[in-house]
Amino acid sequence: MRTVVITDPEFLPGETQAVTALLEAGAWRVHVRKPGADAAEVEALLEKLPERYRQRISLHDCHELAARYGVGGVHLNARNPLPPQEFMGMVSRSCHSFGELAECAPVCDYMFLSPIFDSISKKGYVARFPLEEIRRRRDDAGSGVDWKRVLALGGVCPDNIRRVADAGFGGAAVLGYIWEPYKRDADVGALVARFRNLSVFSRL
């Protein structure tokens, strides 16, 4: 299964070192999501990342920086409904209904579906998609969705990631499980250990 890490919305101490360590540990992609940041702040983060890893970065905002820094992906949202003109990298989007999944499938390389479990980082953001329904739709040849390109988002952690795989998702996106402890201790080693623990369970 593919594992995507989404950054915390706030800039954190040692964050570029942490993102680099996650990529080195095997994260398929890291999504830079800083909705309150301006282009200069996002650019400062990108400049500190090793060039060899920038193809595995996706930007949620400031898409104009993708070409300048060799960033490999952009994430569409209400603020940025279309990728930059002539962008040739990976395109993704977050979906919150089965209808959105089917609508985005023709134009996106992969999609997030959320919330699958109760969110760790957003209190009150509770699970909306029974895994039994996911399995049923996965087996429906007429759904118009390739579930290998759908990643589960929302509350994913080692306790439930095997259920994500069993339901037929192509991977998972994580945020709170990775970053909430880091916000308390800024320990890169512990952050990587959490990611590796998640990866071990995702392969079982």
Side-chain angles (χ1 to χ4, degrees), residues 106-129:
V107 296
C108 291
D109 295 285
Y110 61 97
M111 295 83 69
F112 300 153
L113 182 65
S114 71
I116 301 303
F117 306 107
D118 294 352
S119 175
I120 297 170
S121 59
K122 296 180 181 179
K123 303 307 178 187
Y125 194 49
V126 297
R128 289 180 51 195
F129 301 96

Side-chain angles (χ1 to χ4, degrees), residues 37-46 61-65 68-69:
D38 59 29
E41 291 173 306
V42 175
E43 190 170 12
L45 186 151
L46 293 175
D61 291 287
C62 307
H63 289 176
E64 69 277 8
L65 298 176
R68 190 183 312 171
Y69 286 94

Side-chain angles (χ1 to χ4, degrees), residues 8 120-121 175-185 194:
D8 191 83
I120 297 170
S121 59
L175 196 166
Y177 164 73
I178 292 290
W179 296 109
E180 288 299 314
Y182 183 85
K183 288 159 72 172
R184 296 190 293 269
D185 59 27
R194 285 192 296 278

Side-chain angles (χ1 to χ4, degrees), residues 117 155-164 177 197-198 201:
F117 306 107
V156 177
C157 66
D159 292 340
N160 57 37
I161 195 165
R162 289 185 67 182
R163 295 167 61 198
V164 169
Y177 164 73
N197 191 34
L198 186 78
F201 280 93

Side-chain angles (χ1 to χ4, degrees), residues 1-8 18-33 45-46 49-60 63 65-67 69-76 87-93 108-112 148-149 151-153 170-175 178-179 191 195 198-199:
M1 284 207 334
R2 295 169 171 174
T3 306
V4 167
V5 178
I6 303 172
T7 65
D8 191 83
V19 168
T20 300
L22 287 166
L23 291 165
E24 289 175 343
W28 180 55
R29 304 193 65 76
V30 170
H31 278 229
V32 174
R33 178 181 175 272
L45 186 151
L46 293 175
L49 290 175
E51 289 186 23
R52 66 184 181 277
Y53 289 132
R54 292 177 187 169
Q55 275 292 316
R56 290 162 60 195
I57 296 293
S58 287
L59 296 177
H60 282 229
H63 289 176
L65 298 176
Y69 286 94
V71 169
V74 296
H75 190 79
L76 307 183
F87 180 73
M88 301 300 292
M90 302 194 81
V91 176
S92 57
R93 182 154 190 155
C108 291
D109 295 285
Y110 61 97
M111 295 83 69
F112 300 153
K148 293 179 182 177
R149 296 193 291 121
L151 279 64
L153 171 62
V174 293
L175 196 166
I178 292 290
W179 296 109
L191 176 140
F195 175 80
L198 186 78
S199 299

